[in-house]
Amino acid sequence: MNTLLKKMTFLSLMTLSFCDLSISNTVNAKKLDDDFLPNSIKNFIKDSLSEYSVPNENQFIDEWKSYDHISTPRFAFSDFNGDSKKDYAIILLSKNYKEILLVVFLSDNMHSFSIHRVNIFNLNENLIDVFISVEKKGYWQTSKGKINIKHDGISVDWASESISFSYYWKNDNFQIFLYD
């Protein structure tokens, strides 16, 4: 019985440590979420978009933290084109700090992506004021009524312009959706 109690205690401690590790990794993930980008995307940015880099969260104005729907201002991960594969929307900062590029990597397979340069925003200050997040699929309100968006979109909040809009996949391209 003493041996059984030791084994149960050991298993309980192992379970607790695993839970603590998971919580710790979640906290670290927010700080290092670019580690979750596939290497093929990191390499593409480094090689083919070399005039840009993935900014750190401290390069964004602090206002992004007040938006409840944003967990990180520089990435949005979802299935944007409805093929059941994880796609990546990323904010990139030009090396000269003059512009921000919103680029989307649509997954073709595990290591291959089609790349879409969705928009370029001019940067007036040294801090980034454009934030992205996932806009859930469903019915979106327009001035002419509701429209049904079939796949998650990319929500853009542009703080200095006090404007929000989304991009959604339609007819093999990203379309802009301006809110009322």
Side-chain angles (χ1 to χ4, degrees):
M1 180 130 157
N2 197 10
T3 305
L4 180 59
L5 184 59
K6 285 181 183 177
K7 285 182 180 179
M8 289 178 62
T9 304
F10 176 74
L11 286 174
S12 296
L13 289 172
M14 288 296 288
T15 303
L16 286 173
S17 341
F18 178 73
C19 290
D20 288 345
L21 181 61
S22 297
I23 293 167
S24 172
N25 283 343
T26 303
V27 171
N28 291 338
K30 288 195 175 216
K31 293 180 185 173
L32 302 171
D33 50 3
D34 57 337
D35 290 339
F36 293 103
L37 290 176
N39 285 333
S40 54
I41 290 179
K42 290 183 206 176
N43 291 335
F44 183 85
I45 292 169
K46 189 171 67 172
D47 297 339
S48 299
L49 294 172
S50 60
E51 66 276 17
Y52 294 94
S53 64
V54 178
N56 296 318
E57 285 183 1
N58 62 2
Q59 291 177 286
F60 288 80
I61 63 172
D62 284 338
E63 188 175 337
W64 76 266
K65 296 173 186 171
S66 66
Y67 290 75
D68 291 337
H69 63 281
I70 299 175
S71 59
T72 177
R74 57 192 177 146
F75 299 115
F77 310 120
S78 190
D79 175 16
F80 298 122
N81 62 350
D83 64 358
S84 300
K85 297 175 185 167
K86 187 176 185 179
D87 304 316
Y88 302 83
I90 305 169
I91 293 278
L92 297 175
L93 176 62
S94 66
K95 299 279 185 181
N96 62 7
Y97 298 98
K98 298 275 187 208
E99 63 186 29
I100 301 150
L101 173 65
L102 171 57
V103 63
V104 178
F105 294 82
L106 295 177
S107 298
D108 294 332
N109 61 46
M110 189 80 161
H111 303 289
S112 175
F113 299 87
S114 61
I115 294 92
H116 299 266
R117 292 177 183 231
V118 178
N119 201 348
I120 294 178
F121 303 89
N122 290 324
L123 187 62
N124 297 327
E125 303 289 327
N126 284 337
L127 293 175
I128 303 168
D129 66 344
V130 176
F131 329 122
I132 61 173
S133 60
V134 174
E135 179 76 40
K136 291 295 182 188
K137 65 184 175 184
Y139 288 94
W140 296 1
Q141 186 64 42
T142 72
S143 59
K144 298 177 184 175
K146 290 183 178 180
I147 60 170
N148 185 17
I149 302 298
K150 296 180 182 181
H151 316 295
D152 288 349
I154 303 155
S155 176
V156 176
D157 292 288
W158 193 357
S160 66
E161 298 296 322
S162 298
I163 189 168
S164 296
F165 49 93
S166 290
Y167 292 98
Y168 64 97
W169 188 253
K170 183 178 178 183
N171 299 329
D172 294 331
N173 202 359
F174 282 97
Q175 308 287 319
I176 193 167
F177 178 87
L178 294 173
Y179 298 101
D180 292 337

